[in-house]
Amino acid sequence: MNSLPDWGDMGKQWSQAMQSFGGLAQGAAMPKLPQLPDVPQLTFDPQKLEALQRAYVEEAAQLWNASLLPDLAKKDRRFAADAWTQNPVASYSAAVYLLNARTLLGMVEAAKTDTKTKARLRFAVEQWMAASAPSNYLALNAEAQKKALETNGESIAKGIQNLLADIQQGHVSMTDESVFEVGKNVATTEGAVVWENELFQLVEYKPLTKQVHEKPFLVVPPCINKFYILDLQPDNSLVRFLVEQGHRTFVMSWRNPDDTLQEKTWDDYVGDGPIEAIRVVKEISGAKQINALGFCVGGTILGTSLAVLAARGEKPVASATFLTTLLDFKESGVLDVFIDEGMVKFREMQMGKKGLLKGQELASTFSFLRPNDLVWNYVVGNYLKGETPPPFDLLYWNSDSTNLPGPMYTWYIRNMYLENNLVKSNRLTVCGEKVDLKKLDIPVYIYGSREDHIVPIGGAYASTQVLPGKKRFVMGASGHIAGVINPPAKKKRSYWTNDKLPKSHEEWTAGAKEHPGSWWTDWAAWLKPHAGKQIAAPKTFGKGTKYKAIEPAPGRYVKAKA
């Protein structure tokens, strides 16, 4: 390790890559790129660098003497199979790879630079590490070679078939998608579409109790991916859980945008989204107020909508629940590595007035946030080993991607991720109103997942310092999806509570109490007193001829493919 890579050149290449992140839409002309800022030459902490070099030389010498091969390879599940340790060449390649990967990550930590640049360097190195692993290549993957010999080449032939099929469908298969069909074995809770516009369908679910709470409940899911993550199966359906708790439940099912919606804006998603849904739910139920939930970007849209209504002097929502939602984008997680002025300007030139951000592009971005688990794991299994991934409803949903209108998307990334304008009182004008979250003086339940890489727990907690009403914050175990979808009957994981809400999440955690099981029961107990008295459950969907059932749940919007 006598010479070091030119990190200055790598920094320039990374900055240029960020300008064009995601690429151009097929057939689109290349717009003129904004002027790139000069990338300073990186410097390194000399003591850390010396320690890295010394450790590298020592471990390389031990590898050459073959004293660490089995131990190093076994520590990584990609190289844990016996075939790796039984093959000296494969075992050595795995051990050298792991050594080089650790050293490069150590160099990132030794770099003297700002936090965001270091995060970008770390992300770039992690992507390289994931892609260059010897397990990804048939010539070096001892396990795949062994299987090819044992099957007389059948695994290779099957792998080629899998590759051709995935090329045709446009994405790497994570599950056996042929097993699932929306409305038949996922998203099966009984209900009906009772209203629709060009952006969403409003689905009402059949009560499972003789009486329901006076105030109905509206769910605003993210418009990235589809709402049925909240209704995968009867035993893990948050929608069904709400219905079982006696809430008259409505869910917005966002339309998967096509070219007819490519000029839609954030204002459209607010004004023709939750604001319309709230109006319709109130008219159908006859209630003066409703309760509402927003999940991920659905929570950001809901929060914006409630601020618009507050600016108009309206308070139609009695309480709000925000699940893994960012309102304050100061701590926005790993997605922040993609966001800077140049990237946002590029996207604005590309689709700021008109266009679609393709669903496959979004899906690929989120997959590469966890490349070993969500990309290369399936490359190896599907193509090198010729395996068919097992049926898994959550991964089927994950592959069921959605488009986004370009104007809505570019406004979102500039005003939320880049400039963090939503928490700045009266900075934004949405639907003709100045937005001020300080006017949302209603009870709120805020949930964050401890290992969430999309909405970091600190970012979710930040909402407690923004919203003025009475608040309850709960932290659940696991990540962005698994933490939210944690039904009580499974008796899995834990959640943490703390009635005090100090300024930082770290302070909150220090005083928090752990509880075994699902946070859903805590939420249900919190929600009940906000739901009003018990009344007779409705016998039919909707109301009269104006809001009659259009089609059975989950409706046709959710079935449209990107």
Side-chain angles (χ1 to χ4, degrees), residues 291-331:
N291 293 301
L293 176 152
F295 179 22
C296 189
V297 67
T300 310
I301 295 173
L302 174 63
T304 309
S305 302
L306 295 180
V308 169
L309 291 170
R312 295 173 179 172
E314 300 176 32
K315 195 176 179 180
V317 172
S319 77
T321 298
F322 294 101
L323 305 183
T324 59
T325 292
L326 288 173
L327 298 177
D328 183 343
F329 283 72
K330 183 177 181 180
E331 188 178 339

Side-chain angles (χ1 to χ4, degrees), residues 343-361:
M343 175 269 187
V344 174
K345 281 185 176 178
F346 174 81
R347 284 304 204 183
E348 287 171 339
M349 289 188 296
Q350 184 188 11
M351 60 179 67
K353 299 294 184 183
K354 183 179 181 180
L356 289 177
L357 180 69
K358 295 296 185 178
Q360 185 53 48
E361 191 174 330

Side-chain angles (χ1 to χ4, degrees), residues 282-425:
K282 285 178 61 184
E283 287 192 10
I284 290 175
S285 65
K288 294 180 179 180
Q289 284 188 312
I290 71 170
N291 293 301
L293 176 152
F295 179 22
C296 189
V297 67
T300 310
I301 295 173
L302 174 63
T304 309
S305 302
L306 295 180
V308 169
L309 291 170
R312 295 173 179 172
E314 300 176 32
K315 195 176 179 180
V317 172
S319 77
T321 298
F322 294 101
L323 305 183
T324 59
T325 292
L326 288 173
L327 298 177
D328 183 343
F329 283 72
K330 183 177 181 180
E331 188 178 339
S332 55
V334 69
L335 290 174
D336 184 59
V337 302
F338 301 120
I339 307 295
D340 61 18
E341 182 65 31
M343 175 269 187
V344 174
K345 281 185 176 178
F346 174 81
R347 284 304 204 183
E348 287 171 339
M349 289 188 296
Q350 184 188 11
M351 60 179 67
K353 299 294 184 183
K354 183 179 181 180
L356 289 177
L357 180 69
K358 295 296 185 178
Q360 185 53 48
E361 191 174 330
L362 276 171
S364 296
T365 299
F366 285 110
S367 292
F368 275 100
L369 297 180
R370 294 170 54 199
N372 284 328
D373 294 331
L374 297 179
V375 180
W376 299 107
N377 174 51
Y378 298 103
V379 168
V380 172
N382 297 0
Y383 311 148
L384 303 191
K385 298 179 185 178
E387 298 171 347
T388 299
F392 189 12
D393 52 11
L394 192 148
L395 290 177
Y396 172 77
W397 165 84
N398 190 65
S399 299
D400 194 4
S401 58
T402 55
N403 304 322
L404 284 179
M408 176 267 193
Y409 164 70
T410 54
W411 191 97
Y412 172 57
I413 59 173
R414 171 169 291 284
N415 286 286
M416 306 300 178
Y417 278 94
L418 182 64
E419 298 181 2
N420 196 19
N421 286 330
L422 186 58
V423 294
K424 300 171 184 175
S425 295

Side-chain angles (χ1 to χ4, degrees), residues 20 124 203-204 208 424 466:
S20 56
V203 182
E204 180 182 4
L208 295 175
K424 300 171 184 175
V466 174

Side-chain angles (χ1 to χ4, degrees), residues 38 149 153 159 190-191 303 316 346 353 357 373 432 480 527:
D38 291 333
L149 292 172
E190 187 176 356
F346 174 81
K353 299 294 184 183
L357 180 69
D373 294 331
H480 190 69
L527 183 59

Side-chain angles (χ1 to χ4, degrees), residues 1-24:
M1 194 169 178
N2 297 321
S3 61
L4 297 174
D6 188 339
W7 287 88
D9 287 345
M10 289 184 70
K12 291 178 182 177
Q13 293 169 11
W14 176 252
S15 181
Q16 290 168 349
M18 289 301 96
Q19 301 293 329
S20 56
F21 173 68
L24 289 169

Side-chain angles (χ1 to χ4, degrees), residues 21 31 45 65 67 71 79 83 99 147 168 204 206-207 254 259 269 278 292 344 406 413 450 453 457 491 501 516 526:
F21 173 68
D45 184 306
N65 293 327
S67 61
D71 182 56
F79 315 118
L99 172 58
K147 186 168 186 179
Q168 186 173 12
E204 180 182 4
K206 182 180 179 180
W254 294 102
D259 288 341
Y269 269 71
I278 291 168
V344 174
I413 59 173
R450 187 178 58 178
H453 60 292
I457 187 63
K491 297 182 179 179
L501 297 173
W526 177 89

